[in-house]
Amino acid sequence: MVDLSVDIGALRLANPVMPASGTFGHELARVIDVERLGALVIKTVTADKRIGNPTPRVAEVSGGMLNSIGIPSKGPKHFVEEIVPLYRRFRAPLVASISANTPDQFAEICATVSVPGVSAIEVNISCPNIEDDGRAFAMRPEPTLAVMKKLREASDLPLWAKLTPNSGEIQEVARAAEEGGANAIVVANTILAMSVDIRTRKPSLGKIMGGLSGPAVKPIILRMAYQCARSVSIPVIGCGGIMTAEDAIEYMLVGCRAVQVGTATFINPTAMLAVIEGLEQWCREQSLVSIREIVGQLGDAGDRGAMNWEGVA
Amino acid sequence: MVDLSVDIGALRLANPVMPASGTFGHELARVIDVERLGALVIKTVTADKRIGNPTPRVAEVSGGMLNSIGIPSKGPKHFVEEIVPLYRRFRAPLVASISANTPDQFAEICATVSVPGVSAIEVNISCPNIEDDGRAFAMRPEPTLAVMKKLREASDLPLWAKLTPNSGEIQEVARAAEEGGANAIVVANTILAMSVDIRTRKPSLGKIMGGLSGPAVKPIILRMAYQCARSVSIPVIGCGGIMTAEDAIEYMLVGCRAVQVGTATFINPTAMLAVIEGLEQWCREQSLVSIREIVGQLGDAGDRGAMNWEGVA
Amino acid sequence: MLPPVMADRADKPSLDVIEHKALILRHESVNADYRLIEVSAPDQARKAVAGQFFHLLCPHAGGLEPFLRRPMSIYRIDREAGTLSFLYKVTGSGTRAMATLREGDRLDMLGPLGIGFSLPLNRAPIVLLARGVGLATLAPLVALATERRHPVTAILSARAPEYLMSVAEMRADGAQVITVVDSDMTSEVDRVEDLLHGLRAQGRMEALYTCGSNRLLLLAQAVARQYGLHGEVAMEQQMACGLGMCFCCVRPFQVENEITHRRVCCEGPVFPLAEAMGW
Amino acid sequence: MLPPVMADRADKPSLDVIEHKALILRHESVNADYRLIEVSAPDQARKAVAGQFFHLLCPHAGGLEPFLRRPMSIYRIDREAGTLSFLYKVTGSGTRAMATLREGDRLDMLGPLGIGFSLPLNRAPIVLLARGVGLATLAPLVALATERRHPVTAILSARAPEYLMSVAEMRADGAQVITVVDSDMTSEVDRVEDLLHGLRAQGRMEALYTCGSNRLLLLAQAVARQYGLHGEVAMEQQMACGLGMCFCCVRPFQVENEITHRRVCCEGPVFPLAEAMGW
Ligand SMILES: Cc1cc2nc3c(=O)[nH]c(=O)nc-3n(C[C@H](O)[C@H](O)[C@H](O)COP(=O)(O)OP(=O)(O)OC[C@H]3O[C@@H](n4cnc5c(N)ncnc54)[C@H](O)[C@@H]3O)c2cc1C
Ligand SMILES: Cc1cc2nc3c(=O)[nH]c(=O)nc-3n(C[C@H](O)[C@H](O)[C@H](O)COP(=O)(O)OP(=O)(O)OC[C@H]3O[C@@H](n4cnc5c(N)ncnc54)[C@H](O)[C@@H]3O)c2cc1C
Ligand SMILES: Cc1cc2nc3c(=O)[nH]c(=O)nc-3n(C[C@H](O)[C@H](O)[C@H](O)COP(=O)(O)O)c2cc1C
Ligand SMILES: Cc1cc2nc3c(=O)[nH]c(=O)nc-3n(C[C@H](O)[C@H](O)[C@H](O)COP(=O)(O)O)c2cc1C
Ligand code: FES
Ligand code: FES
């Protein structure tokens, strides 16, 4: 019997597999047994009410999809009163995801959603900070540190900082999040991208640009997860292009304590359960007692030829 | 008869299709008629001599490949004396690609390779600048401006600045390159990525991390090309994941004057010729007189539903 | 205006959605554009309601494309035989890939999904106004309504006679079918409007259902408003999850002069005619 | 040490490489691991030389994978019949996809590529030392050498007798074949070394060729050095372009105690035995 449980700070998860925010809702319980998931991370809720971006909001690209949903939101009050209760019936811990336009708004909503029934808060700092002319908080270390400190003061719940892969300095941003009091970091959100329908000559998305997700992003996000895991001492949760247990194992080998699965669920609603089963089977094959044994166990690089690279070994 | 010619600054190309640096060499003339290409961009040569990175240097990923070649180089003298003459026999203009570890070395090699037979110089500022603790020049606007000014002084040939998609502020970098005297910008180099062989638990690449190229990067680089084309007035050359004429058309619609094809040539050595033929045919179908008519001709975003988005249209 | 019979709605939270690889029993082309695919799916056939759809995984035709699932309305439900059919137009990568499936292959289908049509009370006569793909969506409503003893008139609009579909099936199901086509201009909006007023005069129109054309949507809205009819429209939007989780599939609706945004996959695809927005 | 006959080399700049979708004439499994595929390719067969390879495009098995081409040595060249064969081991995504090809399908092949084997002068006797995949690479050298009247001894090493391949073919081509296997320990390095000294004593070894095993490479280097033999080894490395453009396929070599890096695809795959580096 393999032990799949992992600890994200103080929070113990039955297994390292959870949905990625915005790709999961209680509706999935109509198709699969969501009780079996390590945690239930739900759609980001913003401090303000939003209708989201004009359609089309989704487009297909090679090896993935673009989305420009834009976080439609009914605000924190509706979230606490209407959404949180919907998840009471599930055993798996509920992880809220929040976002806001300014550090103060962010801290305010963070406090508001720190209610019983919420086990941790994923702070989606990949969204625009209007005080830094629209740049996402997590684009740079300074605003990341500033907002994390405010968030830390606003709540006693575990805070997971979700980073943006659009930053050119994600390691520094990860360190800033840790310094600011994050209990874990999630690597990462979608990569800004676009596509064009050459028949109509229009952008495929109503917002022109949107977030790329799916298998196409995996090698990029895996690299960032590896860099971040080596830069911080808090747990790193990998998220990007995970379709199979093999993908999840790659993320854990480079140092991730847990993983989030997003787009895969759209293709196959049972994808997360298949990842959990695949992890368990792989552990058995490798005769591992606990999945925790593989976290960060990346071997040395280089083939045999590399041994003589600059002279006889 | 369709006019496929485009102007990159003062340099007129017979058509907008050229190879991406490092994915082409005179060896391709053994398989296809390279005379038909818009230009011949060859492998980057560095100021110093280098053996390149240990093997494995290549790995397959979903929708693309990773490489960690690391620019093996015999230096500028060998380039001018041995390589440039090899291309005399071809009609298509030769574009050198250069790189260096410091702005001064960069300027020096730029002057050295400014010889007859070289029609333009692609300056690969996506490589580490040891004076900015190993960060690539093009990661930030300031070092980009600084190195471009030095390069501009060093040569009278057209300079094409090749940017890195790993930057979080590619528009600002593009503007800095223009301000520094670039005659065109190439968007973009490979995206830093990695993958793991879970059987051996080793990184797939000897260098652990390497550059992602191929269809997987197209939506990301297309977005950057779009952003850059709107930020600068010099020509933008799109480069990332182009496998077909349709891909090239997407790049031209978002504002690229020309395109470079890299990885596709490895899969199909005739890919560039197929792109040229496809462009010509598409122009005929759209009854265009010149391919230049479609540059930047991106239509308005949004579907019918979007018309009533926030109220009746 | 007659209230809808909620009992016919399929959006009960209790409803569980099935992901299943169903055996393909039949797969043939109906005309130059359309193909009909029939699968064995007894459980889904028992649950499925006219107006609902399935989210179909198209076979990979080399490349990960088609990457996302494709939504398709239920065209025919045969509870006895335990079969479901889809009538689809070959459009792009997904439907092209679907067209390659052979009898005996499996079709990975997720569903039934969404909210189906609701019927007025007291066997009131209903009118269907369908064009193009809309036909596939409205067809099963004929069977449902006639089964429930509602007199049904179906106005089918198409480019030309050869593009008219399932006229015979609908007649067999007991509907009066009126066909109009562009080729002889019978499909023009004002002429279809005359038809509707005529049907109303004959007492054959207490409720109005439409799908597949913006012009017909606007017409149906006007006529329904004029006579205070119960009306419904089935709408389309690009989808990712098909389950209500991703908010890709929203459309704007007008409720008391307020714009609200609804998800086609779970708050539709069938919506109150009065609230839909055309352009 | 005998100089190689440059005439046999295939690296003339004049050589043009063909990308062609060749008809598959035969495709069968040889044993649990290996499959043999034969294609019709008259032009390539005329050009191809033992030791060269083709860069093969594997069919897409759903997903863009296998993305890159796969290098495969020429196993058999039949100029009269205008056919080429490859003997390959089913390893991962690419070869698995290749294994799905059927007779009558097309195989997209780029080549011939690289530098082939060169033979010593004066019909000098040669010895081949092959293991595993190395056999596929050395096999055509038997035909080339016997054709040129070189006495050929082929030492074939394998895990067990059932994994020995093309023993009969080589004998038919006129080679003396010695088989050694792990299962009875005849394949151990020191016993193979004894065989080589024996062959030298019998005057049957003026040149030595090897492929497929690092242990055998080190042995061959030692023996060739001892007797001053002309020696060659065929090496492998991951490839992208296969044409010498990308520098993915380099390996380190030792030339007068200097390390130099060479591209397997165009400076090899056949290299001077003395300069190759084992580990
Ligand atoms: C609820 C619902 C029911 C439908 N029922 C039917 C039906 O019974 N018969 C039928 O022929 N068609 C139906 N459609 C439309 C059908 O989904 C599209 O024709 C199909 O997705 C096109 O896919 P493609 O890859 O062939 O075309 P592409 O244009 O290549 O598709 C590209 C992307 O756009 C999406 N897309 C394209 N057109 C539409 C559309 N009209 N609606 C939603 N998404 C679209 C695709 O799903 C895909 O993600 C229905 C759509 C919806 C929303
Ligand atoms: C010049 C040359 C000649 C060869 N001749 C033969 C032959 O005749 N018969 C035969 O069975 N094999 C031969 N090989 C090895 C063959 O290329 C690999 O077995 C094959 O590429 C494996 O691909 P895969 O997708 O099945 O395995 P995977 O492990 O899935 O391949 C993953 C990646 O690694 C590369 N790769 C894996 N193993 C090798 C290898 N040994 N050499 C080079 N690249 C590799 C693949 O090309 C692919 O890019 C030769 C290799 C070279 C370089
Ligand atoms: C349709 C869609 C909606 C998303 N919404 C959110 C969101 O609200 N908040 C958030 O932090 N990430 C959101 N994401 C990003 C995902 O959580 C995840 O980071 C990303 O999709 C990469 O994972 P994947 O490749 O497994 O999908 C969304 C992604 C998709 C595809
Ligand atoms: C094997 C390989 C080697 C490369 N070498 C260089 C190089 O030397 N200089 C450079 O500027 N870009 C180099 N690149 C990047 C390409 O020029 C190009 O920017 C990138 O591959 C994206 O284009 P593609 O998706 O069409 O391949 C290399 C790419 C590959 C795959
Ligand atoms: S398709 Fe995901 S919410 Fe409708
Ligand atoms: S494979 Fe490209 S240089 Fe050898």
Side-chain angles (χ1 to χ4, degrees), chain A residues 53-59 68-69 204-206, chain B residues 302-309, chain C residues 53-55 68-73 133 137 211-212 233-243 246-253 260-271 277 279:
Chain A
N53 295 325
T55 48
R57 289 179 169 188
V58 59
S68 59
I69 311 299
S204 310
L205 296 174
Chain B
D303 58 17
R304 291 281 177 62
M307 296 184 347
N308 298 324
W309 203 244
Chain C
F53 70 98
F54 279 79
H55 214 20
L68 298 168
R69 287 176 178 263
R70 302 296 195 247
M72 289 291 167
S73 301
V133 174
T137 309
C211 182
V233 57
M235 306 193 89
E236 298 185 352
Q237 182 57 283
Q238 256 121 323
M239 296 184 178
C241 74
L243 291 163
C246 73
F247 288 81
C248 285
C249 64
V250 294
R251 291 184 71 103
F253 292 85
T260 65
H261 297 82
R262 295 183 180 149
R263 291 161 294 176
V264 170
C265 72
C266 59
E267 298 173 85
V270 176
F271 295 95
M277 297 183 77
W279 48 85

Side-chain angles (χ1 to χ4, degrees), chain B residues 8 29 44-45 47 77 100 112 115 144 146 169 185 212 235 244 254 265 280:
Chain B
I8 306 300
T44 299
V45 54
K77 188 167 177 302
T112 313
V115 295
T144 299
E169 43 191 339
I185 59 172
L212 177 65
T244 65
V254 302
T265 298
E280 187 162 11

Side-chain angles (χ1 to χ4, degrees), chain C residues 18-19 37 43 72 82 96 132 197 200 208 212 215 246 257 272:
Chain C
I18 307 170
E19 193 227 345
I37 189 165
D43 300 352
M72 289 291 167
R96 265 202 308 276
H197 292 306
R200 176 63 180 179
L208 190 50
R215 279 157 60 250
C246 73
N257 305 319

Side-chain angles (χ1 to χ4, degrees), chain B residues 25 27 30 57 60 62 267, chain D residues 15 67-70 247:
Chain B
E27 296 89 348
R30 296 171 62 189
R57 289 178 168 188
E60 263 189 343
S62 181
I267 312 303
Chain D
L15 175 87
F67 186 69
L68 298 168
R69 287 178 178 261
R70 303 297 195 247
F247 289 82

Side-chain angles (χ1 to χ4, degrees), chain A residues 164-184:
Chain A
T164 173
N166 298 319
S167 168
E169 43 191 338
I170 195 160
Q171 289 154 288
E172 290 78 358
V173 170
R175 276 192 290 269
E178 177 176 36
E179 187 187 338
N183 303 93

Side-chain angles (χ1 to χ4, degrees), chain A residues 148-178:
Chain A
M148 282 310 304
K149 281 183 168 164
K150 284 214 156 100
L151 290 164
R152 181 71 287 168
E153 285 163 12
S155 175
D156 298 330
L157 286 175
L159 299 180
W160 300 355
K162 185 162 182 183
L163 307 189
T164 173
N166 298 319
S167 168
E169 43 191 338
I170 195 160
Q171 289 154 288
E172 290 78 358
V173 170
R175 276 192 290 269
E178 177 176 36

